mmCIF file of all heavy atoms in Angstrom:
data_model
loop_
_atom_site.group_PDB
_atom_site.id
_atom_site.type_symbol
_atom_site.label_atom_id
_atom_site.label_comp_id
_atom_site.label_asym_id
_atom_site.label_seq_id
_atom_site.Cartn_x
_atom_site.Cartn_y
_atom_site.Cartn_z
ATOM 1 N N ASP A 1 -73.030 -10.462 -61.401
ATOM 2 C CA ASP A 1 -71.944 -9.801 -60.787
ATOM 3 C C ASP A 1 -71.051 -10.745 -60.045
ATOM 4 O O ASP A 1 -71.531 -11.589 -59.115
ATOM 5 C CB ASP A 1 -72.518 -8.783 -59.821
ATOM 6 C CG ASP A 1 -73.293 -7.626 -60.580
ATOM 7 O OD1 ASP A 1 -72.720 -6.904 -61.349
ATOM 8 O OD2 ASP A 1 -74.507 -7.602 -60.249
ATOM 9 N N ASP A 2 -69.755 -10.729 -60.392
ATOM 10 C CA ASP A 2 -68.841 -11.740 -59.773
ATOM 11 C C ASP A 2 -68.197 -11.104 -58.557
ATOM 12 O O ASP A 2 -67.322 -10.166 -58.743
ATOM 13 C CB ASP A 2 -67.801 -12.104 -60.820
ATOM 14 C CG ASP A 2 -66.792 -13.157 -60.346
ATOM 15 O OD1 ASP A 2 -67.047 -13.555 -59.129
ATOM 16 O OD2 ASP A 2 -65.929 -13.640 -61.086
ATOM 17 N N LEU A 3 -68.587 -11.432 -57.408
ATOM 18 C CA LEU A 3 -68.006 -10.856 -56.229
ATOM 19 C C LEU A 3 -67.237 -11.902 -55.430
ATOM 20 O O LEU A 3 -66.906 -11.719 -54.253
ATOM 21 C CB LEU A 3 -69.179 -10.295 -55.333
ATOM 22 C CG LEU A 3 -69.907 -9.118 -55.972
ATOM 23 C CD1 LEU A 3 -71.074 -8.776 -54.924
ATOM 24 C CD2 LEU A 3 -69.037 -7.914 -56.109
ATOM 25 N N VAL A 4 -66.910 -13.056 -56.094
ATOM 26 C CA VAL A 4 -66.246 -14.164 -55.442
ATOM 27 C C VAL A 4 -64.763 -13.518 -55.022
ATOM 28 O O VAL A 4 -63.973 -12.930 -55.820
ATOM 29 C CB VAL A 4 -65.957 -15.311 -56.308
ATOM 30 C CG1 VAL A 4 -65.001 -16.309 -55.714
ATOM 31 C CG2 VAL A 4 -67.294 -15.914 -56.640
ATOM 32 N N GLY A 5 -64.449 -13.719 -53.764
ATOM 33 C CA GLY A 5 -63.182 -13.183 -53.245
ATOM 34 C C GLY A 5 -63.143 -11.740 -53.062
ATOM 35 O O GLY A 5 -61.937 -11.175 -52.749
ATOM 36 N N ALA A 6 -64.236 -11.016 -53.145
ATOM 37 C CA ALA A 6 -64.260 -9.556 -52.974
ATOM 38 C C ALA A 6 -63.879 -9.173 -51.497
ATOM 39 O O ALA A 6 -64.089 -10.054 -50.476
ATOM 40 C CB ALA A 6 -65.543 -9.029 -53.327
ATOM 41 N N GLU A 7 -63.345 -8.131 -51.234
ATOM 42 C CA GLU A 7 -62.980 -7.726 -49.975
ATOM 43 C C GLU A 7 -63.587 -6.365 -49.643
ATOM 44 O O GLU A 7 -63.486 -5.507 -50.309
ATOM 45 C CB GLU A 7 -61.452 -7.569 -49.769
ATOM 46 C CG GLU A 7 -61.026 -7.249 -48.301
ATOM 47 C CD GLU A 7 -59.634 -7.243 -48.230
ATOM 48 O OE1 GLU A 7 -58.856 -7.601 -49.191
ATOM 49 O OE2 GLU A 7 -58.990 -6.986 -47.091
ATOM 50 N N PHE A 8 -64.293 -6.319 -48.521
ATOM 51 C CA PHE A 8 -64.995 -5.145 -48.043
ATOM 52 C C PHE A 8 -64.341 -4.605 -46.803
ATOM 53 O O PHE A 8 -64.241 -5.258 -45.768
ATOM 54 C CB PHE A 8 -66.440 -5.383 -47.699
ATOM 55 C CG PHE A 8 -67.277 -5.872 -48.953
ATOM 56 C CD1 PHE A 8 -67.357 -7.297 -49.169
ATOM 57 C CD2 PHE A 8 -67.848 -5.062 -49.735
ATOM 58 C CE1 PHE A 8 -67.917 -7.797 -50.209
ATOM 59 C CE2 PHE A 8 -68.634 -5.589 -50.761
ATOM 60 C CZ PHE A 8 -68.746 -6.917 -51.078
ATOM 61 N N VAL A 9 -63.692 -3.424 -46.948
ATOM 62 C CA VAL A 9 -62.907 -2.838 -45.782
ATOM 63 C C VAL A 9 -63.550 -1.589 -45.378
ATOM 64 O O VAL A 9 -63.658 -0.580 -46.188
ATOM 65 C CB VAL A 9 -61.451 -2.589 -46.185
ATOM 66 C CG1 VAL A 9 -60.658 -2.087 -45.042
ATOM 67 C CG2 VAL A 9 -60.769 -3.930 -46.697
ATOM 68 N N GLU A 10 -63.978 -1.528 -44.088
ATOM 69 C CA GLU A 10 -64.642 -0.410 -43.556
ATOM 70 C C GLU A 10 -65.833 0.004 -44.486
ATOM 71 O O GLU A 10 -66.175 1.168 -44.621
ATOM 72 C CB GLU A 10 -63.737 0.751 -43.235
ATOM 73 C CG GLU A 10 -62.558 0.445 -42.248
ATOM 74 C CD GLU A 10 -61.707 1.670 -42.064
ATOM 75 O OE1 GLU A 10 -61.822 2.728 -42.663
ATOM 76 O OE2 GLU A 10 -60.722 1.450 -41.222
ATOM 77 N N ALA A 11 -66.542 -0.962 -45.030
ATOM 78 C CA ALA A 11 -67.659 -0.683 -45.895
ATOM 79 C C ALA A 11 -68.822 -0.558 -45.054
ATOM 80 O O ALA A 11 -69.110 -1.242 -44.091
ATOM 81 C CB ALA A 11 -67.852 -1.765 -46.911
ATOM 82 N N ASN A 12 -69.795 0.427 -45.507
ATOM 83 C CA ASN A 12 -71.062 0.444 -44.805
ATOM 84 C C ASN A 12 -72.226 -0.338 -45.524
ATOM 85 O O ASN A 12 -72.638 0.015 -46.471
ATOM 86 C CB ASN A 12 -71.496 1.918 -44.755
ATOM 87 C CG ASN A 12 -72.639 2.234 -43.885
ATOM 88 O OD1 ASN A 12 -73.315 1.305 -43.482
ATOM 89 N ND2 ASN A 12 -73.036 3.447 -43.666
ATOM 90 N N LEU A 13 -72.308 -1.511 -44.821
ATOM 91 C CA LEU A 13 -73.507 -2.353 -45.498
ATOM 92 C C LEU A 13 -74.681 -2.329 -44.603
ATOM 93 O O LEU A 13 -75.533 -3.241 -44.666
ATOM 94 C CB LEU A 13 -72.891 -3.809 -45.574
ATOM 95 C CG LEU A 13 -71.705 -3.992 -46.491
ATOM 96 C CD1 LEU A 13 -71.224 -5.421 -46.422
ATOM 97 C CD2 LEU A 13 -72.051 -3.577 -47.916
ATOM 98 N N ARG A 14 -74.949 -1.362 -43.787
ATOM 99 C CA ARG A 14 -76.009 -1.343 -42.897
ATOM 100 C C ARG A 14 -77.358 -1.363 -43.754
ATOM 101 O O ARG A 14 -77.496 -0.562 -44.664
ATOM 102 C CB ARG A 14 -76.062 0.062 -42.041
ATOM 103 C CG ARG A 14 -77.153 0.140 -41.093
ATOM 104 C CD ARG A 14 -77.071 1.302 -40.299
ATOM 105 N NE ARG A 14 -75.778 1.356 -39.461
ATOM 106 C CZ ARG A 14 -75.479 2.338 -38.616
ATOM 107 N NH1 ARG A 14 -76.206 3.418 -38.517
ATOM 108 N NH2 ARG A 14 -74.427 2.348 -37.875
ATOM 109 N N GLY A 15 -78.172 -2.275 -43.326
ATOM 110 C CA GLY A 15 -79.517 -2.344 -43.898
ATOM 111 C C GLY A 15 -79.405 -3.257 -45.318
ATOM 112 O O GLY A 15 -80.457 -3.440 -45.985
ATOM 113 N N ALA A 16 -78.280 -3.675 -45.608
ATOM 114 C CA ALA A 16 -78.137 -4.467 -46.967
ATOM 115 C C ALA A 16 -78.929 -5.765 -46.796
ATOM 116 O O ALA A 16 -79.168 -6.286 -45.713
ATOM 117 C CB ALA A 16 -76.666 -4.714 -47.175
ATOM 118 N N ARG A 17 -79.395 -6.166 -47.901
ATOM 119 C CA ARG A 17 -80.157 -7.452 -47.903
ATOM 120 C C ARG A 17 -79.578 -8.420 -49.000
ATOM 121 O O ARG A 17 -79.369 -8.063 -50.135
ATOM 122 C CB ARG A 17 -81.744 -7.063 -48.367
ATOM 123 C CG ARG A 17 -82.614 -8.190 -48.200
ATOM 124 C CD ARG A 17 -83.936 -7.752 -48.620
ATOM 125 N NE ARG A 17 -85.016 -8.907 -48.485
ATOM 126 C CZ ARG A 17 -85.663 -9.122 -47.409
ATOM 127 N NH1 ARG A 17 -85.479 -8.544 -46.359
ATOM 128 N NH2 ARG A 17 -86.527 -10.168 -47.474
ATOM 129 N N PHE A 18 -79.316 -9.750 -48.513
ATOM 130 C CA PHE A 18 -78.826 -10.713 -49.401
ATOM 131 C C PHE A 18 -79.873 -11.833 -49.538
ATOM 132 O O PHE A 18 -80.213 -12.386 -48.456
ATOM 133 C CB PHE A 18 -77.551 -11.429 -48.691
ATOM 134 C CG PHE A 18 -76.451 -10.293 -48.425
ATOM 135 C CD1 PHE A 18 -76.340 -9.567 -47.311
ATOM 136 C CD2 PHE A 18 -75.426 -10.188 -49.401
ATOM 137 C CE1 PHE A 18 -75.347 -8.674 -47.107
ATOM 138 C CE2 PHE A 18 -74.388 -9.266 -49.211
ATOM 139 C CZ PHE A 18 -74.361 -8.500 -48.049
ATOM 140 N N VAL A 19 -80.374 -12.068 -50.647
ATOM 141 C CA VAL A 19 -81.442 -12.962 -50.996
ATOM 142 C C VAL A 19 -80.934 -14.048 -51.839
ATOM 143 O O VAL A 19 -80.327 -13.822 -52.950
ATOM 144 C CB VAL A 19 -82.554 -12.221 -51.599
ATOM 145 C CG1 VAL A 19 -83.780 -13.274 -51.951
ATOM 146 C CG2 VAL A 19 -83.103 -11.004 -50.884
ATOM 147 N N GLU A 20 -81.031 -15.353 -51.396
ATOM 148 C CA GLU A 20 -80.548 -16.462 -52.070
ATOM 149 C C GLU A 20 -79.197 -16.362 -52.714
ATOM 150 O O GLU A 20 -78.875 -16.735 -53.795
ATOM 151 C CB GLU A 20 -81.531 -16.793 -53.204
ATOM 152 C CG GLU A 20 -82.950 -17.183 -52.613
ATOM 153 C CD GLU A 20 -83.879 -17.683 -53.707
ATOM 154 O OE1 GLU A 20 -83.400 -18.028 -54.849
ATOM 155 O OE2 GLU A 20 -85.109 -17.776 -53.505
ATOM 156 N N SER A 21 -78.324 -15.781 -51.773
ATOM 157 C CA SER A 21 -76.866 -15.604 -52.160
ATOM 158 C C SER A 21 -75.974 -16.586 -51.639
ATOM 159 O O SER A 21 -76.234 -17.170 -50.460
ATOM 160 C CB SER A 21 -76.451 -14.140 -51.749
ATOM 161 O OG SER A 21 -77.215 -13.176 -52.279
ATOM 162 N N ASP A 22 -74.877 -16.923 -52.230
ATOM 163 C CA ASP A 22 -73.888 -17.850 -51.839
ATOM 164 C C ASP A 22 -72.814 -17.207 -50.940
ATOM 165 O O ASP A 22 -72.064 -16.433 -51.470
ATOM 166 C CB ASP A 22 -73.185 -18.541 -53.047
ATOM 167 C CG ASP A 22 -72.353 -19.761 -52.713
ATOM 168 O OD1 ASP A 22 -71.961 -19.837 -51.446
ATOM 169 O OD2 ASP A 22 -71.982 -20.448 -53.522
ATOM 170 N N LEU A 23 -73.056 -17.351 -49.716
ATOM 171 C CA LEU A 23 -72.025 -16.698 -48.729
ATOM 172 C C LEU A 23 -71.165 -17.792 -48.059
ATOM 173 O O LEU A 23 -70.582 -17.533 -46.903
ATOM 174 C CB LEU A 23 -72.860 -15.950 -47.727
ATOM 175 C CG LEU A 23 -73.729 -14.797 -48.235
ATOM 176 C CD1 LEU A 23 -74.456 -14.174 -47.048
ATOM 177 C CD2 LEU A 23 -72.849 -13.743 -48.873
ATOM 178 N N ARG A 24 -71.096 -19.010 -48.659
ATOM 179 C CA ARG A 24 -70.175 -19.991 -48.079
ATOM 180 C C ARG A 24 -68.780 -19.579 -47.965
ATOM 181 O O ARG A 24 -68.144 -19.024 -48.783
ATOM 182 C CB ARG A 24 -70.373 -21.285 -48.953
ATOM 183 C CG ARG A 24 -71.640 -21.977 -48.832
ATOM 184 C CD ARG A 24 -71.618 -23.147 -49.803
ATOM 185 N NE ARG A 24 -71.495 -22.611 -51.252
ATOM 186 C CZ ARG A 24 -71.437 -23.449 -52.234
ATOM 187 N NH1 ARG A 24 -71.389 -24.737 -52.214
ATOM 188 N NH2 ARG A 24 -71.424 -22.881 -53.555
ATOM 189 N N GLY A 25 -68.201 -19.723 -46.754
ATOM 190 C CA GLY A 25 -66.765 -19.494 -46.498
ATOM 191 C C GLY A 25 -66.549 -18.038 -46.238
ATOM 192 O O GLY A 25 -65.361 -17.567 -46.170
ATOM 193 N N VAL A 26 -67.596 -17.265 -46.145
ATOM 194 C CA VAL A 26 -67.336 -15.736 -45.836
ATOM 195 C C VAL A 26 -66.621 -15.562 -44.619
ATOM 196 O O VAL A 26 -67.087 -16.166 -43.575
ATOM 197 C CB VAL A 26 -68.689 -14.946 -45.958
ATOM 198 C CG1 VAL A 26 -68.639 -13.606 -45.480
ATOM 199 C CG2 VAL A 26 -69.246 -14.937 -47.412
ATOM 200 N N VAL A 27 -65.715 -14.684 -44.564
ATOM 201 C CA VAL A 27 -64.993 -14.464 -43.314
ATOM 202 C C VAL A 27 -65.340 -12.984 -42.959
ATOM 203 O O VAL A 27 -65.108 -12.044 -43.703
ATOM 204 C CB VAL A 27 -63.409 -14.640 -43.504
ATOM 205 C CG1 VAL A 27 -62.807 -14.115 -42.158
ATOM 206 C CG2 VAL A 27 -63.189 -16.153 -43.773
ATOM 207 N N MET A 28 -65.732 -12.680 -41.666
ATOM 208 C CA MET A 28 -66.002 -11.410 -41.138
ATOM 209 C C MET A 28 -65.138 -11.086 -39.979
ATOM 210 O O MET A 28 -65.133 -12.007 -39.046
ATOM 211 C CB MET A 28 -67.493 -11.166 -40.752
ATOM 212 C CG MET A 28 -68.463 -11.476 -41.906
ATOM 213 S SD MET A 28 -70.225 -11.209 -41.521
ATOM 214 C CE MET A 28 -70.991 -12.363 -42.577
#
């Protein structure tokens, strides 16, 4: 799944789990 550059606006990610994922440069 290609989520590079994806934008999450008012998204509910409560309890989400990221395992061995590339989150470099993520802006929150």
Side-chain angles (χ1 to χ4, degrees):
D1 297 296
D2 185 0
L3 297 176
V4 174
E7 185 172 353
F8 301 88
V9 180
E10 297 183 1
N12 186 353
L13 298 177
R14 181 176 297 180
R17 187 178 180 87
F18 301 86
V19 180
E20 295 185 16
S21 299
D22 188 346
L23 299 177
R24 287 173 295 176
V26 167
V27 175
M28 303 183 211

